[in-house]
Structures are given as C-alpha cells and as structure tokens.
Amino acid sequence: MSAVFSSPAVAAQILAVIVSVVVYRRYIHPLSEIPGPFWASITRLWQICYLLKGEEALEVVALHDKHGHFVRIAPNEVSVSHPDGPRLLLLAPLRKGNWYTLFALPDWRFQNPMSTLDPKEKVERSKWLSSGYSLSNILKSEEYIDKNIAHLQDWMDKYAADHKPMHLDKFLSYTVFDNTGEALFSEPFGFISEGRDVGGALRNNEILNPVVAAFGFLTVFQWIFANPVVTWLGVLPMGHLFDTTTRAMKKRQKNPDARFDIAAHWFRMQQKNPDRLSLRQVEAQATLSVGGGADTISCGIQSFVYHMMRRPELWERARHEIDAVNKDGICQGTPVSFSEAQNMPFLQACVKEALRILGPTPSGLPRVAPKGGLSIGDRHFPEGTVLSIHGHVMQLSKEHWGPDAREFNPNRWFADDIGTKEKFWLVFGVGYNSCPGQHLARVQITKMAATIVRDYDILQVDPCSEWKWKAYISIVPHSWPVYVQKRTLRYKQ
Ligand code: HEM
C-alpha cells in the first residue's frame, strides 16, 4: 500500500492536481483580475494565518489602501470598501457566507439566528428572540447595571486612595460581564464585586477569541472540535462558555426574584411557540449573547477612556458639557442615568468616535452574490462569490471619512456632511443581521463614559506607551495601566 503512495507516478499526479488548482485559481478563476496577495488568491490559509495572528483586519485595511475598492482575500472571497458596499451587501437580504456557521456554539445542535445562513430563515428565528433586547426592556435593568457601575467606582476610589496603578481594562471587563448577567439572567456573575475573573471565564474568552475567528473557515475542525461528544466532555473553551451560560440559566429558572429580563422574554416565547423556538435555541442565543456581548462592550468603553485620557482637552470639554447642565439638576445621579447621558451631544460624539476608531468586532461580514451575480460600481461578481465588508475597512477609510480618518476626532460628528458619512459607521452591522444587543451596549457605554468623565481624572502610568490589542473575533485591549484620581469637586446629590 505504502509503495503505491510513494510511487513517483502518484506523486506526479498529486503535484499536477495542485499545480492545476493553483494556476486555475490565480490566472483563470473569474476573480483572478481582482488585486490582492498571491497566497490569498490560491488558498484560504492566507486569511486563516492572519486571523490566528489577530492581524487580519488591519492587513485588509492596508490592502485596500494599496488596491482600492476590491481586494481578493481568499480564492472565492473579495473584501469590498466601495461606497455602495453596505447598501448592496448588508442592507440587502443576501445569504450569509459559510463562515457564520461557527456561531452554532458549542456545537452544530445549537443553531441560532447568527449561525443561520438563509436570510428568511434567520429573520424568522430572530423574531422570537428580539423583544428581549428592546431598549425599553434593557432599561428595566438599569438600576441593577447601576449597582455594578457603583462597584466599579468603589474599586476606582480604592486605587485612587492608594495611589496605585490600576488595570482599568480588567475592571471595565468585569463590570460589563456582570451587566450582561443582569440584563440576561437578573444576576451578575460576581466579577466586579470580587474584582477578579471568577471561574476564569474572561481568560476562557481570551483563549476562545482567536480560535473562533478562524473556526468558521475550518469545516473539518468544526466537525472534530464542535460536536456533541466534545460538548459533553466540556474540555474546550466553547464548552466552558456554554457551561457558564447554562449554569446561569438554570440558576435563573430557580430564582424567585428574577425580573422580566431578556431570558424571561425568551422563555415566554418558547412556552407559547414550542414548535418554533426550542429550549436549545434559547440556550444557544444565551451562549452567544454572553460570549459576544461583554468583550465587545469592554472594548467600546476602553476605547473611550483610552482615547479621551490621551486628549485632556476633549476630556475637559465632555466634562464641561456635563457640568453645564448640572445646575439644572441633570446628570447628578451616581452613576449618570442613560436618559440624561444620551442627551449630551459632545459626549455622544466621543462615544461614537471611540467605537469608530476601534470597532470591537473586526471580522469581515461575508455575503454571497445571488443568482445572476452582483454588480458593485463597475465590477460584476458571479453568483456564489463571497463578498465581505470589514467594519474596520469602512470606518478607517480616508475616502469615506477624510484624511484624518485614522485620528480620534469627535468633532467630525458635528460636520455638515456627517449624514453622508454615517452610513460607513458599521459598528453594530446594518440590515437583517445587525446586532440585537446594541441597546444594551449603548446604555452601558454611555452611562460609564459620562460617570467616569464626570467623577475622575485618569492618567496613563506611562503616557508614551500604547495599549495592546489583537483583532480576533472581538478586540479586547489591554496593557494600559493608569493612575486614577477622584475629582475633588463633587456634585450636590
Ligand atoms: C459594543 C458592543 C457590540 C458590538 C460592537 C457588536 C457588534 C455586532 C456585530 C457587528 C454583529 C454582526 C453583524 C453581522 O453579522 O452582520 C453582531 C451580532 C450580534 N450581536 Fe452584537 N455587538 C455588541 C454587543 C452585543 C451585546 C451586548 C449582545 C447581547 C447581549 C450582542 C449580541 C449579538 C448577537 C446575538 C448577534 C447575532 C445577530 C443575531 O442573532 O441576529 N452584541 N454584533
């Protein structure tokens, strides 16, 4: 047998097949004229390597700088930065790329709207789950979110009193994880009260992050690592995430004090429509929301604090905006209420800019060209071509945002032409697959931003150093320790 495989004739045949595939993909394939790296044109491995290194998003930004609106990032995938891209790809009901199958976590039995590729089926699945995420429902948890932010402030006050460097990034992550627990299950996970990563759940997400980013392209690995047996063994990071969520769900079902939280909406829908929404789908959505809803918000609020503290004049201006309304009894609460903070135009501009300059979800959003193909600008893409939009590419594009696109400049949000630019702000996605958790994200980031600006001065321990982050499935910055100073001028409560 081994003699057969080692024979020169077989080796030559294998080589001939490889060479044919390479030549076809590079020179004959309908996408062969689209510019991009050589290796990307012949194998998906180019993209997977960059994803695993956490550098795909910035590499694709650089490639668009070089090549323009279309870059071939895999044999059958083109990244698009054309101004019509968001409208033609994300706002249209196109089928999602196979990459989305990775979101069936922890294994293929746990299908959910995100992992569903067909737009109609996806919308149908979302219908039963969406009411839980509404702003009015999220605001019912505001007083509990406040408790977690109060814990955060206790820690900040302690570090301020001790004059010790604080890894604020971690404490912000603890707070948002607990807020996710509150909004979903009426109970925090207990990170911020203890000031530590209870049960290693955050560390687990760090490990999960690069793996998941590439997983969607590794179908064989999905079969091997994301199957019921591996889930049952609970040995992999997605198993850990799933366990954390199911534990919280079980506890929630026994909790007599549970509010009408997000889970309550889902359970009610499930009981009313058991043929449409299974308990497993509810579990899947909960796992996805815990996995995707905390790191992303942490990135958002971190980006706000990091960029603002490095531009003290902006910090002062945002604070002045709050101080100015304080005499009228506005923004006096601790923490600041969402309804008041969202009426601070400059603060809001800073939050939007923080999310623009470092969008928390860097992956491309792939859609498949429909029957008959799809034209974008002067290019026609044949049916089946995967066309993806990277939020980072759109949000950092100098063509769309002007020459200062890569600078943190909240003033851009007051320019006359901002209406035409805003369509390139794709932080939460747009269209039928856009983020259902965006109200929860906006409520938290807005409240924390207003409260921190109002009550603290934050100084980087080493102002010359830069934070660190990798662009996996989400971005979680780190390594920017700070000194916290409590503001001496306090508001009348
Ligand atoms: C700043 C914070 C957040 C950002 C930047 C963000 C961003 C996104 C993006 C870009 C998508 C995908 C859009 C697409 O594929 O076209 C998405 C989907 C999703 N997000 Fe978020 N997200 C955030 C917070 C949250 C939170 C707090 C939750 C849950 C509590 C959440 C739950 C989800 C879910 C379940 C999906 C899948 C879409 C669906 O099921 O319909 N996200 N998010």
Side-chain angles (χ1 to χ4, degrees):
M1 186 78 172
S2 62
V4 172
F5 282 109
S6 63
S7 85
V10 174
Q13 277 175 11
I14 292 173
L15 191 65
V17 170
I18 293 174
V19 170
S20 312
V21 170
V22 168
V23 169
Y24 171 75
R25 286 182 173 177
R26 185 69 196 91
Y27 300 107
I28 303 166
H29 192 282
L31 300 181
S32 58
E33 281 176 24
I34 308 288
F38 170 80
W39 289 106
S41 68
I42 60 166
T43 169
R44 176 70 81 178
L45 286 175
W46 176 87
Q47 192 185 13
I48 291 174
C49 287
Y50 275 97
L51 282 167
L52 289 173
K53 285 195 283 181
E55 292 168 7
E56 195 241 10
L58 286 189
E59 183 62 19
V60 179
V61 169
L63 286 167
H64 277 284
D65 284 348
K66 191 171 162 195
H67 297 300
H69 289 148
F70 305 108
V71 175
R72 192 179 183 193
I73 56 169
N76 192 36
E77 180 163 345
V78 174
S79 170
V80 177
S81 71
H82 191 281
D84 292 341
R87 178 174 61 83
L88 293 172
L89 296 174
L90 301 182
L91 285 168
L94 297 184
R95 188 178 174 83
K96 291 189 275 177
N98 282 341
W99 173 77
Y100 280 92
T101 55
L102 76 93
F103 291 102
L105 288 169
D107 65 58
W108 46 260
R109 292 171 302 164
F110 294 82
Q111 296 298 332
N112 56 67
M114 185 70 153
S115 66
T116 306
L117 307 184
D118 179 73
K120 268 194 190 145
E121 218 181 301
K122 188 276 172 203
V123 171
E124 173 67 19
R125 281 194 161 150
S126 290
K127 199 167 80 185
W128 309 103
L129 299 159
S130 56
S131 62
Y133 295 111
S134 69
L135 180 60
S136 56
N137 191 43
I138 298 301
L139 288 177
K140 288 184 192 143
S141 294
E142 184 168 2
E143 64 178 289
Y144 302 91
I145 288 174
D146 284 355
K147 285 185 185 165
N148 295 323
I149 300 177
H151 279 307
L152 169 70
Q153 290 192 267
D154 289 344
W155 285 108
M156 291 176 76
D157 294 351
K158 184 175 178 332
Y159 276 91
D162 295 348
H163 305 289
K164 282 190 179 156
M166 180 178 193
H167 285 278
L168 191 56
D169 57 309
K170 293 208 178 341
F171 287 85
L172 293 171
S173 289
Y174 300 153
T175 311
V176 301
F177 253 92
D178 280 343
N179 286 339
T180 304
E182 282 291 1
L184 281 166
F185 315 115
S186 302
E187 195 164 334
F189 293 102
F191 297 117
I192 190 62
S193 56
E194 293 202 27
R196 68 184 180 91
D197 180 8
V198 184
L202 273 72
R203 174 81 192 114
N204 181 70
N205 266 20
E206 276 173 33
I207 302 167
L208 192 60
N209 216 335
V211 179
V212 171
F215 219 54
F217 299 122
L218 298 165
T219 314
V220 178
F221 283 72
Q222 285 190 39
W223 292 335
I224 300 172
F225 296 115
N227 65 56
V229 178
V230 177
T231 301
W232 178 74
L233 289 170
V235 286
L236 290 182
M238 46 271 203
H240 192 296
L241 170 65
F242 177 65
D243 287 349
T244 307
T245 311
T246 37
R247 255 201 317 276
M249 291 281 267
K250 285 200 177 109
K251 219 167 150 199
R252 156 75 182 70
Q253 279 166 301
K254 287 182 204 150
N255 179 0
D257 302 323
R259 304 185 296 280
F260 207 75
D261 48 23
I262 298 179
H265 280 261
W266 295 345
F267 287 135
R268 188 173 65 171
M269 283 293 176
Q270 197 278 321
Q271 278 155 12
K272 278 190 184 169
N273 311 280
D275 49 331
R276 296 297 178 92
L277 182 66
S278 68
L279 205 52
R280 184 160 278 163
Q281 282 171 326
V282 170
E283 286 174 344
Q285 191 70 6
T287 305
L288 201 60
S289 296
V290 173
D295 282 349
T296 47
I297 302 181
S298 175
C299 176
I301 183 65
Q302 286 195 52
S303 180
F304 174 88
V305 176
Y306 179 82
H307 288 103
M308 294 288 283
M309 78 178 173
R310 290 164 72 98
R311 297 280 304 276
E313 76 284 5
L314 298 177
W315 191 282
E316 270 312 312
R317 191 170 153 196
R319 177 180 280 172
H320 181 74
E321 184 178 59
I322 297 174
D323 284 358
V325 293
N326 188 256
K327 61 180 181 331
D328 303 325
I330 298 168
C331 286
Q332 287 191 350
T334 299
V336 177
S337 74
F338 173 68
S339 62
E340 290 174 348
Q342 71 165 342
N343 285 323
M344 305 286 119
F346 187 68
L347 182 91
Q348 288 303 320
C350 296
V351 167
K352 284 193 102 168
E353 184 67 352
L355 289 166
R356 183 192 71 82
I357 201 89
L358 190 75
T361 55
S363 307
L365 307 175
R367 302 291 185 265
V368 183
K371 202 163 191 278
L374 186 76
S375 295
I376 306 178
D378 55 6
R379 283 265 175 204
H380 184 78
F381 296 96
E383 176 181 346
T385 306
V386 179
L387 298 160
S388 56
I389 301 238
H390 286 70
H392 280 212
V393 168
M394 294 313 239
Q395 279 140 218
L396 299 177
S397 159
K398 291 184 184 170
E399 177 192 352
H400 303 329
W401 295 92
D404 68 345
R406 289 166 201 178
E407 285 160 35
F408 182 76
N409 174 17
N411 288 323
R412 76 174 77 250
W413 291 94
F414 300 101
D416 291 343
D417 61 350
I418 193 63
T420 56
K421 291 178 175 168
E422 217 168 346
K423 61 176 183 264
F424 305 117
W425 191 86
L426 300 173
V427 171
F428 294 106
V430 285
Y432 77 90
N433 206 57
S434 62
C435 176
Q438 52 189 290
H439 295 306
L440 179 55
R442 287 178 206 266
V443 166
Q444 292 191 54
I445 297 175
T446 302
K447 286 173 71 71
M448 283 194 275
T451 307
I452 292 173
V453 160
R454 187 194 62 181
D455 291 350
Y456 299 93
D457 289 306
I458 311 280
L459 306 167
Q460 213 176 343
V461 171
D462 175 6
C464 298
S465 74
E466 300 213 336
W467 62 359
K468 294 192 173 61
W469 52 266
K470 290 281 180 190
Y472 299 124
I473 193 83
S474 55
I475 290 178
V476 189
H478 58 91
S479 304
W480 51 281
V482 293
Y483 290 114
V484 175
Q485 288 173 358
K486 181 100 177 179
R487 197 175 171 203
T488 43
L489 174 67
R490 292 309 314 271
Y491 294 93
K492 289 187 196 110
Q493 300 285 323

